[in-house]
């Protein structure tokens, strides 16, 4: 069904654009992952771009939800929407390509939010935003290279500048300029020409600009030039392969070249050998002043390559490839406060370090993918054979991260354990996307990590899939769960009014106990749970749990409840002081 077109670029247009861009990147993700050869062929550029836009779209949706909750008249302002889009992309940016895309969106927001009260902008305002976006992204890259997403962004801005007219005309011109520039990228980078591909990051940007056209016209742009001057590829949603980004090619198998000569030009074979590169990708968010960031740029530039630092106003996203990951993180510590630190080892002899193709890995029959709240539990689940997704306090994973974990499990059948009631819809969306890719996925609606532990304990890969899922679901459902947390603010609860600093005991998601002491509150919670019976108590201690609380609770169970066993795990930084499960 055709999208209802927007006339001006307002908050609703921002929301529509983000949604359409996410859909376009979702369709193109796999093909874009498959075509990256520069700067590193590590196969996740499409995924990284998707996750970046998913974070941007989620931030925009939160603005609209907050506006509705406040019962404010009309819609959010354009400034509120574009600032949320830029901030969401910044904090959710993945890899080199996602980081550059985040800066492009931030550059647009700086122009569109300049007058905070403006309800919308026209074609002229959109043109200015695209120009500033391209220029600011180029400045954010330590050593800009032509034939990459930067070239495509500049071409889009140039084409928009000469377009004139309304937003639809500007969007069409920018998209067409980007497509033309994308087709020319193999002639600008030898590595692209040898591989017979276009820049992956540039293809991703063309996808995003195609979504902008659809926002204002209601129709998705048609076929696009993929490789060479003649071959046509349906749906230009391209994304570059992450790691070192900026390369994409025509979608493999998405369309046949017009003649054999075109097929030869496109070069369906693997990229030729490349030079060795740094061993690690390091990414983190950084709270720091502008002066400190300038010093950081210089230091990281000397340590490695593919350096991109984007952001401003005290918050930055840092991306670099280095051999000494520790030194890159230490540089961030000296500059300010780094967090959400992600270090990826490209691996000895993989495509990043050798330029050779990875040998195909045979799929296993069945795997378990689980969301876990702390590093300790991640280790426990991993030892039990599960593929884990770490959910840090206040940072729930997006559906794209869960899909990526399902792919990483590399199995024909996957059991998905969200381990959080609030992740039910996110996990369901991830399961649907994975099923669309041909993976059989069963979602067990576990609401706590202790229910996931119970399910994993009875998992038998040799059983029939349906029988295994039923057994795991039964074990999870038979496990009552509780958590002990510290209240952050005054609040109404099922057990009365709590104050900041009170210790809360939640049973099956509802506050049942309000206390002043962790040990006493935990004991009360445990007694209430065991009053209905039980055979096994699972205790998962967070980093903030008092040293003796586990010993005290174990003694309590041993003395008061016959034939009930207790097992204790260290959960690490899991948000809750203590998790309790009773089976």
């Amino acid at each position: 069904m055709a999208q209802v077109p927007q006339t001006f670029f307002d908050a609703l247009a921002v929301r529509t654009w983000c949604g359409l861009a996410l859909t376009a990147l979702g369709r193109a993700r796999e093909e874009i992952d498959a075509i990256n050869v520069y700067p590193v062929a590590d196969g996740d550029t499409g995924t990284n771009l998707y996750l970046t836009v998913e974070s941007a779209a989620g931030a925009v949706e939160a603005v609209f939800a907050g506006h509705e909750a406040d019962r404010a008249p009309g819609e959010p302002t354009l400034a509120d929407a574009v600032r949320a889009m830029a901030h969401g992309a910044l904090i959710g940016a993945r890899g080199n390509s996602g980081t550059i895309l985040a800066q492009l969106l931030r550059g647009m927001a700086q122009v569109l939010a300049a007058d905070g009260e403006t309800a919308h902008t026209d074609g002229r305002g959109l043109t200015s935003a695209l120009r500033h976006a391209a220029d600011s992204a180029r400045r954010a890259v330590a050593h800009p290279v032509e034939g990459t997403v930067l070239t495509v962004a500049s071409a889009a801005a140039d084409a928009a500048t000469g377009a004139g007219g309304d937003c639809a005309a500007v969007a069409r011109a920018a998209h067409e300029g980007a497509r033309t520039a994308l087709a020319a990228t193999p002639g600008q980078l030898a590595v692209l020409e040898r591989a017979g591909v276009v820049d992956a990051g540039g293809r991703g940007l063309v996808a995003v600009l195609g979504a902008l056209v659809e926002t204002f016209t209601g129709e998705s742009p048609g076929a696009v030039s993929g490789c060479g001057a003649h071959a046509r590829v349906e749906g230009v949603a391209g994304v570059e392969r992450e790691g070192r980004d900026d390369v994409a090619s025509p979608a493999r198998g998405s369309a046949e070249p017009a003649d054999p000569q075109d097929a030869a030009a496109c070069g369906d074979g693997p990229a030729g050998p490349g030079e060795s590169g740094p061993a690690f990708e390091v990414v983190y968010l950084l709270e720091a002043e502008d002066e400190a960031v300038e010093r950081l740029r210089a230091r990281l530039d000397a340590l490695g390559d593919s350096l991109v630092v984007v952001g401003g106003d005290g918050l930055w996203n840092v991306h670099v490839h280095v051999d000494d990951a520790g030194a890159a993180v230490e540089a961030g510590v000296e500059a300010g406060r780094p967090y959400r630190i992600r270090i990826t080892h490209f691996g000895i002899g993989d495509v990043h370090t050798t330029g050779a193709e990875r040998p195909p890995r045979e799929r296993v029959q069945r795997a378990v993918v689980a969301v876990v709240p702390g590093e300790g539990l991640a280790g426990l689940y991993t030892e039990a054979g599960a593929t884990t997704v770490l959910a840090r306090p206040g940072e729930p994973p997006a559906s794209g991260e869960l899909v990526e974990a399902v792919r990483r499990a590399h199995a024909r059948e996957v059991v998905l354990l969200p381990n959080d009631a609030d992740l039910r819809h996110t996990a369901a969306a991830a399961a649907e996307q994975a099923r669309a890719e041909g993976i059989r996925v069963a979602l067990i609606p576990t609401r706590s990590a202790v229910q996931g532990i119970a399910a994993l304990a009875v998992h038998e890969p040799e059983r029939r899939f349906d029988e295994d899922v039923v057994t795991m679901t039964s074990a999870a459902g038979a496990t009552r769960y509780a958590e002990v947390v510290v209240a952050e603010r005054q609040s109404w609860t099922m057990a009365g009014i709590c104050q900041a600093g009170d210790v809360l005991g939640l049973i099956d998601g509802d506050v049942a106990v309000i206390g002043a002491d962790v040990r006493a509150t935990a004991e009360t919670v445990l007694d209430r749970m065991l009053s209905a019976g039980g055979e096994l108590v699972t205790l998962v201690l967070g980093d903030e749990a008092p040293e003796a609380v586990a010993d005290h609770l174990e003694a309590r169970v041993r003395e008061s409840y016959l034939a009930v066993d207790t097992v204790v795990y260290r959960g690490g930084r899991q948000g809750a002081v203590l998790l309790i499960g009773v089976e």
Side-chain angles (χ1 to χ4, degrees), residues 305-383:
D305 60 28
S306 296
L307 173 61
V308 185
V309 181
V310 304
D313 302 319
L315 181 62
W316 309 83
N317 192 306
V318 179
H319 171 281
V320 67
H321 294 169
V322 293
D323 281 321
D324 190 344
V329 175
E330 288 173 9
V333 172
E334 291 181 8
R337 186 179 80 87
Y339 60 104
R340 288 198 191 181
I341 300 168
R342 294 193 299 273
I343 300 173
T344 302
H345 184 222
F346 291 114
I348 298 174
D350 71 3
V351 291
H352 175 90
T353 55
T354 69
E357 279 195 328
R358 285 189 184 95
R361 181 163 60 97
E362 186 176 352
R363 288 184 179 274
V364 298
Q365 183 61 31
R366 189 174 309 157
V368 176
V369 172
V371 180
V372 290
E375 293 86 348
L377 281 179
L380 174 67
Y381 273 74
T382 301
E383 287 177 10

Side-chain angles (χ1 to χ4, degrees), residues 246-327:
D246 308 304
V247 168
S249 95
R252 306 281 194 209
S254 58
E256 292 185 3
D259 57 50
Q261 287 184 335
D262 288 337
C266 287
D268 284 333
E275 296 180 359
S276 295
F280 297 96
E281 178 187 57
V282 179
V283 181
Y284 51 79
L285 291 178
L286 177 71
E287 292 178 356
E289 299 298 324
D290 291 3
E291 297 80 7
V293 171
E294 286 306 311
R295 294 192 296 271
L296 175 66
R297 288 180 196 269
R299 182 168 177 188
L300 292 179
D301 192 27
L303 285 174
D305 60 28
S306 296
L307 173 61
V308 185
V309 181
V310 304
D313 302 319
L315 181 62
W316 309 83
N317 192 306
V318 179
H319 171 281
V320 67
H321 294 169
V322 293
D323 281 321
D324 190 344

Side-chain angles (χ1 to χ4, degrees), residues 453-516:
I453 291 172
L456 197 56
V458 298
H459 168 54
E460 281 290 344
E462 304 306 317
R463 269 197 300 248
R464 289 180 53 250
F465 185 63
D466 292 339
E467 292 177 359
D468 198 30
V469 171
V470 168
T471 302
M472 294 175 72
T473 302
S474 177
T479 303
R480 300 190 68 196
Y481 67 96
E483 58 183 319
V484 177
V485 301
V486 177
E488 296 181 354
R489 63 185 66 87
Q490 184 186 60
S491 180
W492 291 87
T493 75
M494 296 283 289
I497 300 175
C498 72
Q499 305 296 326
D502 283 349
V503 179
L504 308 180
L506 290 79
I507 299 177
D508 293 337
D510 293 323
V511 177
V513 181
I514 300 175

